[in-house]
Amino acid sequence: MSAPMDSNLFQQLGLKHPLIVAPMAGGPSSVELVAAASAAGSLGAMGGAYLNAAAIEAFAAQVRQRTDSPFSINLFIPHSIPEVATDRVERAAAATARYRRELELPSPQLVPPYEEDFDAQFEAVLRIKPACFSFVFGLLPAVYVRQAKKAGIPLIGTATTFDEARALEESGVDAIVLQGFEAGGHRGIFDARAVDPEIGMGDLLMQCLGTVRLPLIAAGGIMAPSDIRAALQAGAQAVQMGTAFLACAEAGTSAPYRKKLLETPERRTRTTRAFSGRFARGIENRFMDEMDGKPDAILPFPAQNKFTRDIRAASTAKGSPDFLSLWSGTGKGELWQGSAAELIGRLFAE
């Protein structure tokens, strides 16, 4: 059953602030950031997509050692693809050969599986029983929805269009993140091959209000107290913020990524498939600029994500932002470098 419109998931969770600190898989959502965000009265969210079941359980245990406040776990809905044809891998390898030479990497070996085992990840979530389970890239299949309901774990889906939001509502989720085109990181579009609808957060919220009878969470371009106020006044029950927390003391953001974020308040971002095969918004850099011109050399998601992992890791190790997925939203302004608790206090000071 869908929740009635006046039920507030965030009050049920006992949160002090209507804020989710976004799940940022791949490093930024460290144990310390998730725990600090939750302890400060918001909902910390673990980005577990790239972790196996054992690592997800270890992460959750470490969060619980630091706080008994509620937190969320986020995963990617799997979209298994057949093994990528040899000629496509060869084309991708040729297009990235000079980067691997520059980074002193061997030739890539790409074999399936291209992503973690979702069944095992989800079973770990059921054992952990987080305050919420959130997901991107589609609908959670009905069998998992039933298992989550049975375990008493509220579900939060992610939509980039009105149609996606309606589909999520009908699938039985408890709340929906409306991800505007402004948001940093992966776009939550259901179909990995689809053209990006490019709907801004404000427009998406207006399209869904009154028709989608679930708590709506606004995400995309929210950086300041005024942005939060505007979203809540427009009808969102909460906001989700990621970019604003990337430079916090507790964030697991790598040194070259952090440096690039702080270089200028005017971060030039755009969406690209270059890193993972799926649209994601990040700061423009050399890899994005050069690979975006070679769409035939970009593998489908999630194969491309696995294929570029060695390049990204080597770029981090060398302290270079040239080949990193520098996920960032469109919001401008200096990023907070103090603690997450201090930032949350500033965001909700009034």
Side-chain angles (χ1 to χ4, degrees):
M1 275 291 293
S2 296
M5 207 162 178
D6 58 358
S7 85
N8 191 325
L9 177 63
F10 303 95
Q11 286 169 347
Q12 289 167 32
L13 293 172
L15 301 183
K16 186 177 172 192
H17 305 298
L19 166 68
I20 299 172
V21 176
M24 296 177 282
S29 287
S30 63
V31 166
E32 293 75 17
L33 180 61
V34 175
S38 289
S42 69
L43 188 67
M46 166 196 176
Y50 304 133
L51 304 177
N52 64 27
I56 289 171
E57 292 196 78
F59 189 109
Q62 289 172 49
V63 172
R64 284 184 170 149
Q65 282 166 10
R66 288 165 171 79
T67 181
D68 56 6
S69 297
F71 66 95
S72 169
I73 297 177
N74 176 274
L75 295 177
F76 293 169
I77 297 296
H79 290 271
S80 54
I81 56 170
E83 189 163 354
V84 181
T86 307
D87 62 321
R88 290 200 67 178
V89 178
E90 286 171 354
R91 202 157 53 228
T96 54
R98 64 194 183 110
Y99 308 139
R100 288 195 169 87
R101 280 197 299 275
E102 199 175 312
L103 295 165
E104 299 170 51
L105 290 168
S107 295
Q109 303 296 317
L110 182 70
V111 293
Y114 305 124
E115 57 192 339
E116 293 295 335
D117 178 347
F118 183 81
D119 282 331
Q121 289 178 319
F122 189 76
E123 282 163 16
V125 171
L126 292 175
R127 287 193 292 274
I128 293 160
K129 245 186 119 167
C132 288
F133 172 65
S134 68
F135 54 90
V136 293
F137 302 156
L139 301 175
L140 186 65
V143 61
Y144 301 115
V145 173
R146 284 194 296 273
Q147 288 177 307
K149 299 275 185 202
K150 193 174 167 190
I153 304 170
L155 297 172
I156 303 177
T158 306
T160 62
T161 66
F162 171 73
D163 287 344
E164 288 179 352
R166 283 300 297 270
L168 282 163
E169 181 178 32
E170 287 165 15
S171 77
V173 301
D174 298 282
I176 300 171
V177 172
L178 297 180
Q179 188 198 47
F181 186 54
E182 307 90 342
H186 276 102
R187 303 280 291 126
I189 303 164
F190 285 15
D191 181 355
R193 295 157 310 209
V195 173
D196 194 319
E198 301 188 4
I199 304 167
M201 184 271 290
D203 288 342
L204 186 54
L205 184 59
M206 293 315 295
Q207 289 170 23
C208 294
L209 275 170
T211 307
V212 177
R213 300 180 65 80
L214 286 177
L216 301 173
I217 302 153
I222 300 171
M223 294 286 287
S226 57
D227 300 327
I228 296 172
R229 277 197 304 275
L232 297 178
Q233 282 164 6
Q237 285 207 349
V239 296
Q240 180 168 286
M241 299 172 67
T243 305
F245 287 86
L246 281 170
C248 282
E250 298 92 344
T253 313
S254 70
Y257 185 175
R258 200 176 276 265
K259 184 169 181 285
K260 192 74 178 171
L261 283 164
L262 297 169
E263 258 174 20
T264 165
E266 297 297 312
R267 293 174 290 281
R268 288 175 57 89
T269 69
R270 69 168 190 267
T271 59
T272 181
R273 292 187 192 268
F275 294 100
S276 75
R278 255 189 180 273
F279 282 124
R281 179 178 292 283
I283 298 170
E284 295 175 355
N285 66 357
R286 183 179 153 199
F287 190 78
M288 197 193 286
D289 288 342
E290 294 176 7
M291 288 302 295
D292 279 351
K294 306 171 189 170
D296 290 347
I298 295 172
L299 301 172
F301 176 89
Q304 179 74 3
N305 195 56
K306 186 174 183 179
F307 179 76
T308 63
R309 194 167 286 154
D310 61 333
I311 293 174
R312 287 176 280 133
S315 193
T316 299
K318 280 195 182 300
S320 166
D322 284 353
F323 308 103
L324 294 184
S325 46
L326 303 164
W327 303 146
S328 173
T330 61
K332 303 296 184 212
E334 295 288 346
L335 293 176
W336 181 252
Q337 295 182 66
S339 74
E342 288 166 341
L343 176 55
I344 291 166
R346 290 166 71 95
L347 292 171
F348 294 94
E350 293 162 33

